Amino acid sequence: MINTIVLIPHYNNLASLNRTLKSIYHTQGIDLLIIDDGSVNTMLPDLAVLQKGLNANVNLELLKLDKNGGIANALNTGLEYILKNKKHKFIARIDCGDVCVSKRFEIQENYLIKHQDIALVGSWVKWIDYNGKVVFCKKPSLSHKNIKRRMAVRCSLIHPSVMFRYSIVEELGMYPEEYEAAEDYAFFYKIVKRYKVANISEFLTSVEHADTGISNVNRKIQSWSKLKVIYAFSPLNFNFIYGTLFNLTLMAIGSNTSLKIKRKLFNDNNTRS
């Protein structure tokens, strides 16, 4: 039985998609679901071509949307398809251009099987440039207590690193689409308020750092959406105030300054359990 399906949105980025697919392994079997979000004809994925480059025990399905509707719509289309088919215990995420260690999905599956009280698990993550050089690393908190406490300041769950139980989507529903470029933050906040979550203290995924990525192109929009998430989900406490001021500051500074701050914040060797 295949336990996990990996949800991968795609838009006009075939080279990065192929790099991601080549990094996915599983000794027993794993399913992949690509949602093409209305790519132009020259960038449309070809299922037969993609399947030729897959590793053993990796199965691929492809859904093509007629027009570009944004990542939240693509992700929710994928979740609806997964819920309809009722075949998997776990749903994992990775984005085009990101790569993972060979046993990433097996490590996360085993973690969720062993820790039945945990609904979602992420990991530490490296951000890398096109040449494979590490730009910065993130070591988010490991325990549910610290993840939940810090959610109003910044999300301690890194979207392309997570795996979560199928059952929580049945319970809580899809990605909220009203938080542009921060749908993952809102989705995770819903989960953290209801279930226990965790991070694994290993670098299981490397994220592609690109100037054209959502976090860079839509940085101010994303910061505004994060503020909306904080106001919608966070209790009124110190972290609510701190998170509000932190995200207002991010809206005001340039992308180069933001990157310098990230390098300073995330390239240390300390983490909180």
Side-chain angles (χ1 to χ4, degrees):
M1 179 179 176
I2 293 177
N3 287 321
T4 300
I5 185 166
V6 184
L7 186 55
I8 310 172
H10 170 266
Y11 180 63
N12 292 341
N13 201 357
L14 283 177
S16 292
L17 174 62
N18 279 297
R19 183 162 61 253
T20 298
L21 295 181
K22 289 177 182 177
S23 77
I24 297 176
Y25 296 82
H26 203 290
T27 56
Q28 295 182 350
I30 193 166
D31 291 336
L32 313 181
L33 176 61
I34 297 172
I35 309 297
D36 181 77
D37 192 19
S39 294
V40 298
N41 288 337
T42 55
M43 286 289 177
L44 277 174
D46 184 295
L47 182 60
V49 173
L50 293 176
Q51 286 176 326
K52 291 179 181 178
L54 296 177
N55 293 302
N57 304 318
V58 178
N59 310 300
L60 178 61
E61 293 183 84
L62 172 64
L63 298 181
K64 296 180 180 180
L65 303 183
D66 293 333
K67 61 180 181 179
N68 179 251
I71 188 170
N73 178 68
L75 290 170
N76 285 338
T77 299
L79 288 181
E80 288 171 359
Y81 181 84
I82 292 168
L83 290 177
K84 181 180 178 181
N85 283 275
K86 301 181 183 297
K87 291 169 55 178
H88 304 91
K89 293 181 179 179
F90 310 123
I91 301 168
R93 280 282 291 112
I94 197 167
D95 287 323
C96 291
D98 303 343
V99 297
C100 53
V101 302
S102 61
K103 294 292 184 72
R104 172 200 156 173
F105 298 110
E106 293 176 74
I107 290 170
Q108 290 183 306
E109 284 178 357
N110 291 334
Y111 186 95
L112 290 175
I113 291 169
K114 183 177 179 180
H115 300 86
Q116 291 294 320
D117 60 327
I118 300 297
L120 177 149
V121 64
S123 74
W124 291 348
V125 173
K126 297 178 182 178
W127 265 254
I128 57 174
D129 63 19
Y130 292 117
N131 298 315
K133 182 180 178 181
V134 176
V135 180
F136 61 88
C137 304
K138 284 189 179 181
K139 294 181 178 181
S141 299
L142 306 180
S143 70
H144 173 75
K145 179 181 177 181
N146 284 328
I147 293 170
K148 184 177 182 180
R149 181 174 60 83
R150 297 176 63 83
M151 280 296 286
V153 180
R154 59 177 178 265
C155 188
S156 294
L157 298 163
I158 302 170
H159 198 189
S161 79
V162 302
M163 177 182 289
F164 48 91
R165 297 185 189 276
Y166 171 99
S167 58
I168 67 174
V169 182
E170 289 184 305
E171 178 74 21
L172 296 181
M174 310 291 177
Y175 286 87
E177 297 190 30
E178 62 268 32
Y179 305 102
E180 185 179 357
E183 67 288 325
D184 56 330
Y185 188 20
F187 183 63
F188 294 152
Y189 223 137
K190 287 198 305 181
I191 295 171
V192 168
K193 288 172 72 72
R194 186 72 175 267
Y195 300 100
K196 290 182 69 175
V197 300
N199 281 305
I200 295 171
S201 57
E202 296 181 54
F203 291 105
L204 299 182
T205 298
S206 294
V207 171
E208 182 180 64
H209 179 77
D211 293 335
T212 55
I214 289 175
S215 294
N216 289 323
V217 175
N218 296 330
R219 189 171 54 83
K220 290 188 176 181
I221 294 173
Q222 186 180 61
S223 293
W224 178 249
S225 292
K226 286 180 178 178
L227 286 171
K228 290 169 61 179
V229 172
I230 292 168
Y231 275 72
F233 294 98
S234 174
L236 183 58
N237 55 22
F238 171 79
N239 282 329
F240 173 90
I241 298 170
Y242 180 26
T244 299
L245 294 174
F246 179 76
N247 283 282
L248 284 172
T249 301
L250 288 180
M251 293 174 68
I253 64 177
S255 58
N256 289 335
T257 303
S258 176
L259 179 57
K260 289 178 181 178
I261 292 172
K262 287 178 179 179
R263 281 174 166 160
K264 187 170 182 61
L265 285 174
F266 303 131
N267 275 342
D268 59 67
N269 294 317
N270 299 317
T271 188
R272 298 184 180 184
S273 61

